[in-house]
Amino acid sequence: MTNREWHLISRPVGWPKPEDFALVETPVPAPGEGQVLVRNKYLSVDPYMRGRMSAAKSYAAPYELGKVMQGGAVGEVISSNAEGIATGDHVLHFFGWREYAVMDAKNAVKVDPAAAPLSTYLGVLGMTGLTAYAGLLRTASFKEGDIVFVSGAAGAVGSQVGQLAKLLGASRVIGSAGSDDKVKLLVEEYGFDAAFNYKNGPVAEQLREAAPDGIDVYFDNVGGDHLEAAIGSLREGGRIAVCGMISVYNNTEPAPGPRNLARLIQTRGRIEGFLVGDHYDLQPEFVQKVGPWVASGELKYRETVVEGVENTLEAFLGVLRGDNIGKMIVKL
């Protein structure tokens, strides 16, 4: 058998270009002792991957040039030399960007396709879901009655943050998104109290109109003018959880910081960044609480599905452009 996998050929400067990558054919190796061979069925592409394409020191090691990239994936075990995982089992792992993957069994987590669709283990019940849960409840210290603002609110994480806040008793939830269709989705399907298209005018003005009494929590997926606007609307004791700053990921020069940080003194506000990897202890609680909401339909989710491993790069670039509604998934 042959395997198709994506390699990083050169480190992108600014926006990634197709010539920075190569789709390479390789032989599929047999699993060794304690290993499994998995045929991937779904791949995840996420904004954080842009950072791993840079050589700059960060919280995750850079992708190596000339070697296959990594990312979340879920697939079927087609050969096993490991106890506890059998041929035919389905597993979640981190060897994406390829059709087949061989890994030590300790790096594969069994999932049940009968309990939930396989793709949800990459999104609503997976890393993005836990990111939303941990960022809102632990980092932002959400409490019932809070007014919550979410940027990138139609994305995989943002859409869950807003819905979780409503389910947990937020008094008002506001979202920003990049199209009128996404704004409509936030209000009509996801239950946001208000939403706005950040392309239709200054974010600060639109946020003040949507949240005239200010905000208690800002969940930041965007950075830039959104962060500055949130600081401007923060109420006393307000909290900002910084999950991502997609607006600056492709900048070639440092982005200017918010010009109104002094307002944090007045509001006694707090800004804190977080990584989901620091909060895996919440996974059992997250699944126990959120799983039933997903099963009942109280917590809704969308997936944007791109088919074919050959289109993985385009799916990733689509995430950076904001083409996706909900989680971007590549189906193999």
Side-chain angles (χ1 to χ4, degrees):
M1 295 188 295
T2 57
N3 184 30
R4 288 181 294 172
E5 56 186 37
W6 282 95
H7 290 200
L8 184 66
I9 300 302
S10 59
R11 302 206 179 275
V13 177
W15 274 86
K17 302 179 294 296
E19 51 266 35
D20 295 323
F21 307 85
L23 183 60
V24 178
E25 286 196 2
T26 61
V28 176
E33 187 66 29
Q35 292 187 323
V36 295
L37 170 62
V38 178
R39 178 169 54 227
N40 287 331
K41 291 193 171 184
Y42 295 95
L43 309 178
S44 177
V45 286
D46 303 280
Y48 81 86
M49 294 173 173
R50 176 61 184 88
R52 297 196 66 185
M53 295 171 188
S54 167
K57 185 177 181 180
S58 184
Y59 62 87
Y63 290 134
E64 295 185 57
L65 292 179
K67 294 189 177 180
V68 61
M69 295 185 291
Q70 295 177 330
V74 64
E76 181 182 358
V77 176
I78 60 173
S79 181
S80 175
N81 277 332
E83 291 185 9
I85 298 181
T87 298
D89 284 344
H90 290 82
V91 295
L92 175 68
H93 60 86
F94 206 68
F95 296 90
W97 288 85
R98 68 198 87 182
E99 291 176 302
Y100 295 88
V102 168
M103 69 203 71
D104 293 341
K106 65 181 181 181
N107 295 322
V109 177
K110 288 201 290 186
V111 296
D112 184 2
L118 283 175
S119 59
T120 63
Y121 293 105
L122 297 175
V124 65
L125 293 176
M127 185 178 71
T128 53
L130 181 59
T131 300
Y133 188 84
L136 180 66
L137 272 71
R138 180 172 280 174
T139 306
S141 303
F142 170 84
K143 60 183 183 297
E144 188 175 352
D146 278 344
I147 299 173
V148 178
F149 171 44
V150 187
S151 59
V157 173
S159 60
Q160 287 193 244
V161 172
Q163 291 184 83
L164 286 172
K166 290 295 290 184
L167 288 164
L168 294 168
S171 61
R172 187 169 176 81
V173 174
I174 303 103
S176 72
S179 74
D180 292 340
D181 286 342
K182 289 182 179 180
V183 167
K184 184 178 180 181
L185 173 73
L186 293 177
V187 174
E188 295 185 1
E189 184 169 332
Y190 292 157
F192 283 59
D193 296 289
F196 60 85
N197 182 346
Y198 66 83
K199 298 176 182 177
N200 288 347
V203 174
E205 292 180 10
Q206 295 194 78
L207 178 57
R208 281 195 297 269
E209 182 178 346
D213 297 324
I215 61 173
D216 299 294
V217 169
Y218 171 47
F219 194 103
D220 190 14
N221 291 305
V222 173
D225 55 355
H226 281 73
L227 178 56
E228 184 169 285
I231 293 171
S233 287
L234 208 62
R235 304 207 298 184
E236 186 174 317
R239 292 87 66 202
I240 296 174
V242 181
C243 177
M245 293 192 174
I246 197 169
S247 69
V248 302
Y249 285 172
N250 295 306
N251 288 4
T252 55
E253 298 292 334
R259 297 165 293 181
N260 57 349
L261 283 173
R263 195 168 184 279
L264 295 174
I265 303 170
Q266 174 190 345
T267 62
R268 283 74 112 193
R270 169 169 64 83
I271 301 178
E272 182 178 345
F274 75 98
L275 296 173
V276 67
D278 296 332
H279 302 282
Y280 282 127
D281 62 296
L282 289 176
Q283 182 75 27
E285 173 189 321
F286 160 69
V287 172
Q288 182 181 28
K289 184 168 286 188
V290 175
W293 285 336
V294 174
S296 69
E298 291 176 89
L299 196 152
K300 300 174 174 61
Y301 67 95
R302 291 279 194 98
E303 294 175 340
T304 300
V305 179
V306 172
E307 296 203 10
V309 70
E310 67 276 9
N311 293 315
T312 306
L313 176 60
E314 180 56 27
F316 168 71
L317 296 176
V319 170
L320 298 184
R321 293 191 298 261
D323 294 349
N324 55 304
I325 295 177
K327 184 75 182 78
M328 180 71 89
I329 297 285
V330 179
K331 181 180 180 181
L332 305 188

